[in-house]
Amino acid sequence: MTAYADANRANWDERAELHADRGEHGYRVSRFIEDREALSDVVRFDLPRLGSVAGLRAVHLQCHIGTDTLSLARLGARVTGLDFSPVAVAEARRLVAETGDEVDFVEADVYDAASALPAGTFDLVYTGIGALCWLPSVERWARVVAELLKPGGFLFIREGHPILWAMDETMTEDLHLRFPYFERERPLVWSDDSSYVETARPLTATTTYEWNHSLGEIITALLSAGLRIDLFEEHDSVPWEALPGQMVERPGGEHALGALDGVAPLSYSLRASKPVG
């Protein structure tokens, strides 16, 4: 697995630098600097499901450059972001230094999070969209989440639907299921010099490795780790143009299928809690 993680880290190191562009490319992070009340589109989308996080001790796993992380802080949470990319952590720290948000960032692999952070102390474990596909074992991830949470704490995740990850985005005339829906030991191998947002230049670390995880595998992993599923909602949109040529953009940055609107789920939100006692 080391070779897979090293290649993915090199890719995300490069993406982090490009995504942190202060101009019109990448995540357009200047809006968070200029407007102290700005929230990321991903966090804003799930506000009705997330509920109040004011005063909660939270950890954002696979936090990338910290835009969702600082958004949780702006909602009143005391947040630590964790990511395996040293460049992403550096860019996240640079961003909050400019915005003035109080957020801590830790460089560590997500599977090591319960060792890198105080286990059993978090009210909220948050995972944003596009994170689970980089992990070879969803069962191992679920155990880490359970270890981090204190009794009564909860996990909140918004993620791309495994049906979406199984689609071939290069076939633009219709929806085509081509790739595994279920978790497999061997990853899918990709070579792509672009990112999911516009960047100032192409990527040079182009090879990445990804794994899909079915809904049943994700939910069963959380239940097996001792968590209780409190909310599960599928959505007909995602916050990027996942299927080029077949999507329309909605207000708030969400993209939905155009002519085939409603034919397939594209993302989901899930909330799971750690029982007291």
Side-chain angles (χ1 to χ4, degrees):
M1 293 298 177
T2 301
Y4 299 151
D6 289 346
N8 287 345
R9 185 180 295 107
N11 178 268
W12 280 101
D13 282 348
E14 194 170 4
R15 288 202 211 200
E17 179 184 353
L18 294 171
H19 289 175
D21 187 287
R22 295 307 195 259
E24 294 301 314
H25 296 103
Y27 277 33
R28 296 183 292 111
V29 298
S30 294
R31 59 193 165 124
F32 297 100
I33 300 169
E34 296 164 359
D35 181 0
R36 285 296 310 276
E37 296 185 0
L39 300 176
S40 69
D41 293 339
V42 172
V43 170
R44 186 178 298 280
F45 178 89
D46 269 313
L47 285 178
R49 303 164 193 85
L50 182 61
S52 174
V53 298
L56 299 186
R57 186 174 187 187
V59 57
H60 178 189
L61 300 180
Q62 297 167 272
C63 68
H64 194 35
I65 62 171
T67 53
D68 293 342
T69 324
L70 68 82
S71 296
L72 294 173
R74 290 180 176 186
L75 293 172
R78 294 172 289 125
V79 195
T80 298
L82 180 142
D83 201 275
F84 78 150
S85 163
V87 179
V89 169
E91 290 291 356
R93 288 171 176 162
R94 180 166 76 103
L95 178 58
V96 297
E98 293 182 57
T99 64
D101 293 290
E102 294 185 13
V103 183
D104 296 320
F105 291 98
V106 174
E107 179 191 334
D109 188 278
V110 66
Y111 288 142
D112 298 326
S115 299
L117 298 169
T121 64
F122 291 96
D123 302 293
L124 166 64
V125 173
Y126 180 88
T127 298
I129 199 157
L132 293 188
C133 62
W134 302 98
L135 304 179
S137 168
V138 73
E139 183 178 5
R140 188 178 173 190
W141 166 82
R143 291 198 301 267
V144 170
V145 170
E147 287 182 67
L148 289 168
L149 286 171
K150 71 180 187 182
F154 68 98
L155 163 74
F156 193 93
I157 178 171
R158 168 106 188 274
E159 184 53 281
H161 202 287
I163 286 289
L164 174 63
W165 299 132
M167 292 182 188
D168 187 344
E169 66 180 54
T170 67
M171 304 178 75
T172 59
E173 79 287 355
D174 205 341
L175 304 181
H176 294 270
L177 294 176
R178 180 180 177 187
F179 305 111
Y181 173 79
F182 298 99
E183 184 179 300
R184 294 288 184 259
E185 181 177 354
R186 294 183 64 84
L188 291 170
V189 185
W190 304 101
S191 182
D192 191 351
D193 66 0
S194 64
S195 186
Y196 48 87
V197 293
E198 185 180 355
T199 56
R201 61 170 176 80
L203 299 170
T204 58
T206 57
T207 301
T208 56
Y209 301 88
E210 298 180 35
W211 295 261
N212 203 358
H213 313 285
S214 74
L215 286 183
E217 289 165 342
I218 294 165
I219 291 172
T220 299
L222 292 170
L223 293 173
S224 297
L227 302 185
R228 180 184 65 204
I229 307 300
D230 299 317
L231 176 147
F232 179 77
E233 183 177 342
E234 294 172 295
H235 309 297
D236 63 357
S237 65
V238 287
W240 82 100
E241 191 180 10
L243 299 167
Q246 301 192 68
M247 309 194 85
V248 294
E249 186 172 0
R250 293 175 174 172
E254 290 288 307
H255 289 75
L257 291 169
L260 297 175
D261 185 32
V263 168
L266 300 179
S267 65
Y268 64 90
S269 300
L270 183 151
R271 179 171 173 145
S273 57
K274 185 173 184 176
V276 177

